[in-house]
Amino acid sequence: VGYITANYIVERLGGVLVGEVYSIYFPSQLDVGEDGLGSLIMGRVYDVGSALVFTADVQPQSHEGQNLLSKKVLEFLSRRGVNFVVSAAAYVVPTVDDVRRVYVAGTDSESIERFTSIGAHRLRGGVISGINGAIIGWSRYFGIPGAVLLGETWAPLVEVDESDFRAAKHVLDVLARFLGVEIDTTELDAFAAHVEQRVAMALAKAVARREELKRPEGGREVM
């Protein structure tokens, strides 16, 4: 959800690359494009006019790497005069409706209220793991207010490693209101419907197969 949100903003608002972030905690591999050109795995910072956006294809898997990268990104952002930090992530739930809730946690009550006033719901307890959560903790360390937005995500999508475009859409809608910009998210509905339909069909087949295996040979169930 966070990855889709960040990169969609960059695409829609015409982000300009202003920084590259390298880390020894990224995977030790060469990322090769379709043109054959390769580079280290890195994070990138884009200027979209109303905000700076940090995004990366992966995040470090160790607590040390996630904290160090969060700290370095915040050092860069603070030098650029950033006065508020927002991250995005998923809030996994077993069942969902078409309209997904967006939850918010923040460094202070005022930051939380800025988002609850535009449609988000206050998160009541829990832990937000990974850079999505840690970077907000580090923003508080740097004296910069911040908040993390969590889009309700259908658990089966996570289990099969599919992207939840519908959750990202609702996070983007809240974020657009916060930034005071127009972001057309209608195409995400089509992406979401395609993914959800595919996963729902796979679940239905799995259930049917399980029921079939319960039946003894001859097709009659044991009573």
Side-chain angles (χ1 to χ4, degrees):
V1 172
Y3 181 82
I4 296 171
T5 299
N7 286 280
Y8 199 82
I9 289 175
V10 170
E11 176 188 335
R12 285 293 175 174
L13 299 184
V16 177
L17 183 67
V18 295
E20 295 178 342
V21 183
Y22 296 86
S23 174
I24 61 172
Y25 295 99
F26 280 140
S28 54
Q29 61 191 50
L30 187 69
D31 189 15
V32 182
E34 293 183 359
D35 55 6
L37 299 178
S39 66
L40 288 173
I41 300 294
M42 71 180 81
R44 294 178 174 85
V45 181
Y46 294 91
D47 188 335
V48 297
S50 55
L52 294 177
V53 180
F54 169 69
T55 181
D57 291 335
V58 297
Q59 62 173 291
Q61 295 305 299
S62 70
H63 298 305
E64 180 182 15
Q66 290 172 357
N67 278 295
L68 183 58
L69 184 58
S70 296
K71 181 174 180 288
K72 290 297 183 181
V73 171
L74 259 297
E75 288 175 351
F76 175 83
L77 296 179
S78 63
R79 290 197 301 269
R80 301 279 300 210
V82 168
N83 57 22
F84 199 93
V85 177
V86 184
S87 67
Y91 185 83
V92 183
V93 293
T95 59
V96 291
D97 296 321
D98 286 343
V99 178
R100 308 290 182 81
R101 284 192 171 194
V102 175
Y103 293 92
V104 60
T107 57
D108 56 271
S109 295
E110 183 180 350
S111 296
I112 294 173
E113 289 168 4
R114 292 179 70 177
F115 284 98
T116 56
S117 67
I118 55 175
H121 301 264
R122 183 188 293 259
L123 184 66
R124 303 289 181 177
V127 174
I128 303 171
S129 59
I131 286 181
N132 314 66
I135 200 166
I136 300 305
W138 279 103
S139 73
R140 182 175 182 176
Y141 172 83
F142 278 86
I144 305 173
V148 52
L149 300 178
L150 305 169
E152 276 190 331
T153 299
W154 190 30
L157 295 180
V158 178
E159 293 167 5
V160 297
D161 199 28
E162 287 280 4
S163 298
D164 194 336
F165 292 98
R166 201 174 302 282
K169 169 190 169 63
H170 288 286
V171 170
L172 280 162
D173 289 342
V174 172
L175 192 52
R177 289 195 288 271
F178 173 75
L179 295 174
V181 298
E182 293 286 337
I183 301 177
D184 184 2
T185 59
T186 53
E187 72 171 339
L188 294 180
D189 289 320
F191 295 154
H194 178 71
V195 170
E196 290 165 5
Q197 183 181 37
R198 187 168 67 246
V199 173
M201 289 177 62
L203 287 174
K205 288 181 180 179
V207 170
R209 178 58 177 164
R210 186 170 65 241
E211 292 300 318
E212 182 181 337
L213 292 174
K214 287 181 180 178
R215 298 191 182 95
E217 291 186 12
R220 289 182 294 179
E221 295 187 7
V222 177
M223 302 297 290

